[in-house]
Amino acid sequence: MLKTDAFRAVTCFIIFWVFVLLVTGQVACTTKKHPGVITAIPPVAKAPPRELPPDAIPRVEPRSPYGNPSSYTVFGKRYYTLPNSQGFTERGIASWYGKKFHGRRTSSGETYDMYAMTAAHTRLPLPTYVQVTNLENGKQVVVRVNDRGPFHQNRVIDLSYSAASKLDIVEQGTGLVEIRALDPLHYRLSEKPGDTPSQNADAREHQDAPAWASSPGQQPGRPIIFVQVGAFSERAGADQLSNQLRLLDLGAISISSIIKDAEELHRVRIGPLPTVQSADDTFAKLSDMGMREHRVVIE
């Protein structure tokens, strides 16, 4: 009887370990990576795209206690903060910032949210509401400026991911834009059905001739990019600089004369340039030559 019980115990022990080995072997086979094995685990579903928020609606706010010094220095360059945003307009190249800065503290002390309708500017008071127009497609947004930047050599505004998405500049990374500061006290939403906050009465006063309309010598629907190297009250100074630049193989050189503050101003420019990258390259070449007063101009 004892022998029989011992035999049964040994048999059960062997069967148990054979079962364990079989199970272990089966598991190893199913987890082994092999091009011929098709997994039965369904792929993880992608998260649905996040809906873009509505434009910011201008409202009267006190100046932020942070981010509004009279001047500040970044990367060796001094920036001067404007005392107010009244009448401010600017054209240039916009960029955008996203995941790398999401959740970080902005210059105003607020937390950066890449999905909010916000922006960064080097000189505008914090906060300021601005209308940004994509000069290449006419799309517009209203954003709240609550951060400092961009500090890239020739960018005028850094947009949040959502704002850049609504302007269709996320894929290419940059866009040619016009910035117009809005006065919350005189800002009225259009009563026309379907209009967005950016399509307000104040903004439309300036849109009799669309900013993205074509000009002589440019492709229809596309603004012109120049790099302006200098501006002179005397034509002789502009001619001298123009002749010097022609020896440097930087592209077409032109002198554009305008009347500003009742005086004639002669601007020396390189261009028109076909892309933002070509403008960046020209800008970099001039910087390498020791020139410091040049800037990108959009017309």
Side-chain angles (χ1 to χ4, degrees):
M1 185 68 178
L2 292 175
K3 290 183 179 181
T4 302
D5 290 339
F7 177 80
R8 288 177 178 176
V10 171
T11 302
C12 290
F13 179 81
I14 294 173
I15 291 174
F16 171 78
W17 281 109
V18 169
F19 175 78
V20 169
L21 290 174
L22 287 174
V23 171
T24 305
Q26 181 63 29
V27 172
C29 289
T30 56
T31 56
K32 183 179 180 181
K33 295 182 180 179
H34 189 281
V37 177
I38 300 176
T39 177
I41 302 175
V44 178
K46 293 183 179 179
R50 187 164 180 171
E51 184 178 353
L52 295 176
D55 285 7
I57 299 178
R59 60 187 179 90
V60 178
E61 295 185 65
R63 288 171 68 104
S64 169
Y66 304 100
N68 282 307
S70 58
S71 68
Y72 61 97
T73 303
V74 176
F75 300 140
K77 181 177 179 179
R78 182 165 291 277
Y79 298 87
Y80 295 89
T81 304
L82 297 173
N84 61 71
S85 61
Q86 184 176 2
F88 179 87
T89 61
E90 183 178 29
R91 284 189 177 191
I93 302 170
S95 50
W96 65 276
Y97 60 137
K99 290 183 179 179
K100 182 179 179 180
F101 299 92
H102 186 67
R104 294 188 181 184
R105 187 177 185 271
T106 65
S107 298
S108 65
E110 300 170 2
T111 300
Y112 174 62
D113 181 357
M114 63 185 283
Y115 298 107
M117 294 298 289
T118 60
H121 195 276
T122 57
R123 296 181 292 138
L124 285 169
L126 304 182
T128 294
Y129 290 88
V130 299
Q131 175 183 273
V132 184
T133 303
N134 185 334
L135 296 174
E136 298 179 88
N137 59 24
K139 293 187 176 183
Q140 297 177 332
V141 296
V142 172
V143 296
R144 180 173 176 269
V145 178
N146 69 342
D147 200 4
R148 289 290 172 220
F151 300 112
H152 188 281
Q153 55 189 2
N154 57 356
R155 305 290 188 259
V156 296
I157 193 168
D158 244 352
L159 300 167
S160 67
Y161 166 78
S162 288
S165 295
K166 295 177 79 170
L167 291 176
D168 284 343
I169 68 171
V170 167
E171 292 299 325
Q172 61 190 36
T174 59
L176 307 182
V177 301
E178 180 179 84
I179 305 167
R180 186 178 299 276
L182 300 175
D183 181 359
L185 289 174
H186 299 94
Y187 182 87
R188 293 187 296 111
L189 296 184
S190 171
E191 296 178 358
K192 180 180 178 182
D195 278 359
T196 63
S198 61
Q199 295 170 309
N200 65 87
D202 290 343
R204 285 200 302 276
E205 291 178 2
H206 305 279
Q207 293 179 7
D208 295 335
W212 55 93
S214 59
S215 301
Q218 74 175 109
Q219 297 178 358
R222 180 169 178 80
I224 309 175
I225 310 174
F226 293 95
V227 172
Q228 184 167 304
V229 188
F232 302 84
S233 58
E234 298 292 334
R235 175 72 187 219
D239 288 335
Q240 182 178 2
L241 177 58
S242 177
N243 292 332
Q244 292 173 347
L245 292 174
R246 287 191 175 93
L247 301 176
L248 301 177
D249 192 27
L250 295 171
I253 310 297
S254 63
I255 298 176
S256 173
S257 299
I258 60 169
I259 302 298
K260 185 176 182 180
D261 299 330
E263 293 186 2
E264 191 171 24
L265 193 64
H266 308 281
R267 303 169 298 178
V268 181
R269 297 176 167 184
I270 301 172
L273 301 167
T275 64
V276 170
Q277 185 60 56
S278 61
D280 286 346
D281 293 342
T282 301
F283 197 98
K285 289 178 182 178
L286 292 170
S287 297
D288 291 342
M289 295 174 184
M291 299 184 182
R292 295 290 179 264
E293 301 303 320
H294 51 294
R295 61 189 182 91
V296 172
V297 176
I298 311 296
E299 287 189 349

